[in-house]
Amino acid sequence: MPAPGFFTILHNLAVNQFRQSASRGRHVTIDETNEDDFGQEAVQEQTLMYRDVLDKLAKLPDDQRAVLLLVAVEDLSYAEAAKVLNIPIGTVMSRLSRARERLQQEIEGTADETSRNVLKLRSVK
């Protein structure tokens, strides 16, 4: 009769094998596949772009970032976002417009420190 330690070793080997097969996926012989099965899209560039957008999003003022996240990410309507933030719908729309413009400038690299502190006025005719 085998020792109890032997069963422990067999159990651990079986668990390791199940874990490896789960993480590696199904084993397929090379004759059963084609070249397209081996190629994968590179995710490094997407990860860098994701981090870059998060960094640029963090540069937005808190009020603009909150509205942008509620409307664009959480998919709330303007009215719902206004209710959550306890502000008028018009304020939601103007903050969202400014946030989108500012984020676009950040992404394009056209935003600079001086333009962040200057209020742009437009003439009304």
Side-chain angles (χ1 to χ4, degrees), residues 1-7:
M1 179 150 223
F6 182 71
F7 287 118

Side-chain angles (χ1 to χ4, degrees), residues 2-124:
F6 182 71
F7 287 118
T8 303
I9 292 171
L10 287 176
H11 175 266
N12 291 341
L13 287 172
V15 168
N16 287 342
Q17 187 174 14
F18 286 129
R19 286 182 183 158
Q20 284 179 348
S21 66
S23 66
R24 291 184 182 171
R26 186 175 64 92
H27 176 73
V28 179
T29 62
I30 199 161
D31 295 332
E32 296 175 8
T33 62
N34 61 34
E35 289 180 18
D36 295 336
D37 294 335
F38 295 113
Q40 292 183 349
E41 295 278 331
V43 295
Q44 296 89 347
E45 185 175 348
Q46 291 174 345
T47 303
L48 291 174
M49 288 173 55
Y50 174 74
R51 287 182 186 163
D52 190 41
V53 168
L54 287 180
D55 290 341
K56 291 176 182 352
L57 193 60
K59 292 179 181 179
L60 292 177
D62 291 338
D63 57 346
Q64 292 178 10
R65 183 174 50 248
V67 171
L68 184 64
L69 291 175
L70 286 174
V71 173
V73 177
E74 297 295 330
D75 203 27
L76 295 179
S77 68
Y78 292 172
E80 292 168 332
K83 187 175 181 180
V84 168
L85 297 171
N86 198 25
I87 57 176
I89 293 177
T91 305
V92 168
M93 294 187 320
S94 65
R95 286 182 185 175
L96 183 60
S97 175
R98 287 193 306 262
R100 287 176 174 161
E101 182 180 339
R102 184 94 164 264
L103 189 59
Q104 183 67 34
Q105 290 173 350
E106 288 286 344
I107 290 171
E108 291 174 352
T110 58
D112 60 355
E113 292 297 323
T114 57
S115 68
R116 292 181 184 178
N117 297 325
V118 175
L119 178 63
K120 294 181 182 176
L121 299 177
R122 61 179 181 173
S123 62
V124 179

